[in-house]
Amino acid sequence: MSKITIEDAKPLIGGIVHVDRAHLTDAEVIEELKTALELRGVLVFPRLHATDEEQLAFTDAFGGRVNFNKGVPGSNASAEDVYKITLDRALNSEPDYVLGTFFWHVDGVTIDQSLPKATILSARTLSDAGGATEFANLYAAYEHLPEDEKRQYEGLEVIHTVEAAVRPVYGSPPQERLDRYRSMAAGMEQPLVWTHESGRKSLLIGTHADGIVGMPGPHARALITRLIQWAAQPQFVYRHQWQVGDMAVWDNQGLMHRVVPYTDEGRVMHRTSIGGHEKPGHVASDENKSRMFELS
Ligand SMILES: [Fe+2]
């Protein structure tokens, strides 16, 4: 009998995994999960109740952990490779930054690095309201575009900035905070249509997308907004309503995600990250950034 079964959550996104956590790092289980992740984008393990050690062992077996925590505002240096996503100041010293997760994003897209391959999240304590996580499949969103739009978007370079990522949270962030964020995130030019090493194509968009090279600012932001709305259609989106002990892994390179807003400081999620080696973009030039707000 197979150690693992995976059922589709929705036609274009999501898989529900049934596996005993004792087999989570078995080689054949990992191989099956990697194949499923490529096809389904996000995999959910209901009520797995993995400990931090088990989550880290799975992270390593799946592709190797990377520690983004040292560069993430609010992380606790002693937390090592597990980053706690919570509004509780006792656990995360900069909960304002966590509020940015209310908006569609791809992790790590404004930073000068290979894009994190996958993110793993486990639910430790739930909020009394809100707190579901939504995932949008950016491969499927691209594949379902009309052919003329696909041609139109090929070759466009999008500028992603930390300012855009935090704008819905702060408006204008305090200067000290902005300087600190900028020291962590260079601002990147990334292809709007990313052709992955696998040959598949996806859109690379999110709230952090703030301009398009060679396009007037309002036109660029209108197009970005339209594409985010396109990709957020229900057929491309899986919403996970968490239960305590659930774990999810998603393809951070091919999905954008956000959380349904919550205020409960008791909500605690434990995140680990798998590094990637594909780096589709490069640091945005000051000249292109300075033109992002030109009107023509
Ligand atoms: Fe995220």
Side-chain angles (χ1 to χ4, degrees):
M1 199 180 138
S2 174
K3 294 175 181 172
I4 178 171
T5 56
I6 305 173
E7 52 186 308
D8 290 356
K10 292 181 72 176
L12 294 176
I13 185 169
I16 311 295
V17 181
H18 303 282
V19 62
D20 188 306
R21 73 179 201 269
H23 294 301
L24 208 50
T25 56
D26 291 4
E28 67 267 38
V29 169
I30 292 292
E31 281 316 303
E32 199 156 332
L33 288 171
K34 282 183 177 174
T35 303
L37 190 72
E38 183 73 22
L39 295 171
R40 308 304 309 161
V42 52
L43 302 173
V44 173
F45 303 70
R47 297 178 186 263
L48 188 72
H49 294 289
T51 63
D52 280 354
E53 290 68 30
E54 287 167 331
Q55 184 171 333
L56 283 166
F58 173 70
T59 305
D60 287 338
F62 206 81
R65 77 180 83 170
V66 282
N67 189 330
F68 295 122
N69 306 330
K70 294 185 177 72
V72 174
S75 71
N76 177 351
S78 68
E80 298 187 344
D81 298 316
V82 177
Y83 174 60
K84 291 174 184 166
I85 299 179
T86 179
L87 301 178
D88 182 351
R89 247 171 231 284
L91 296 174
N92 186 317
S93 63
E94 206 162 320
D96 297 357
Y97 191 79
V98 174
L99 299 175
T101 63
F102 292 0
F103 307 93
W104 288 117
H105 66 284
V106 174
D107 289 340
V109 79
T110 62
I111 302 172
D112 184 16
Q113 62 177 14
S114 299
L115 269 179
K117 171 61 188 165
T119 306
I120 299 169
L121 208 55
S122 59
R124 304 308 170 105
T125 315
L126 304 179
S127 48
D128 52 10
T133 304
E134 295 176 319
F135 304 92
N137 188 334
L138 297 175
Y139 287 110
Y142 172 78
E143 286 157 10
H144 285 75
L145 282 170
E147 290 302 320
D148 62 328
E149 284 194 48
K150 287 183 185 171
R151 280 193 293 277
Q152 188 186 329
Y153 302 148
E154 198 71 41
L156 292 182
E157 294 282 328
V158 177
I159 302 168
H160 298 260
T161 66
V162 70
E163 288 91 332
V166 300
R167 198 175 292 138
V169 177
Y170 294 106
S172 301
Q175 191 61 43
E176 171 278 325
R177 218 170 270 231
L178 193 54
D179 291 345
R180 195 151 42 83
Y181 290 167
R182 281 181 177 153
S183 72
M184 298 170 181
M188 298 292 287
E189 290 175 21
Q190 310 272 13
L192 175 57
V193 178
W194 177 7
T195 304
H196 298 250
E197 280 180 10
S198 64
R200 294 176 77 200
K201 293 184 178 189
S202 68
L203 294 171
L204 186 43
I205 49 176
T207 307
H208 31 67
D210 207 15
I212 296 177
V213 176
M215 192 179 287
H219 297 66
R221 281 182 288 282
L223 175 55
I224 290 162
T225 301
R226 294 173 74 87
L227 287 174
I228 291 172
Q229 288 170 341
W230 168 265
Q233 292 180 83
Q235 60 171 324
F236 305 133
V237 172
Y238 171 69
R239 172 190 286 210
H240 187 63
Q241 195 72 52
W242 296 93
Q243 302 286 325
V244 170
D246 287 0
M247 188 175 85
V249 53
W250 70 91
D251 176 357
N252 181 62
Q253 297 179 343
L255 270 61
M256 59 179 186
H257 60 282
R258 69 178 179 184
V259 65
V260 176
Y262 59 94
T263 55
D264 189 342
E265 294 179 5
R267 183 183 190 266
V268 181
M269 309 292 283
H270 284 195
R271 186 183 77 181
T272 54
S273 302
I274 294 174
H277 68 275
E278 291 190 60
K279 188 180 177 191
H282 54 86
V283 174
S285 73
D286 288 339
E287 188 186 352
N288 286 339
K289 277 198 279 192
S290 73
R291 286 185 175 169
M292 279 191 308
F293 291 92
E294 290 183 356
L295 303 185
S296 61

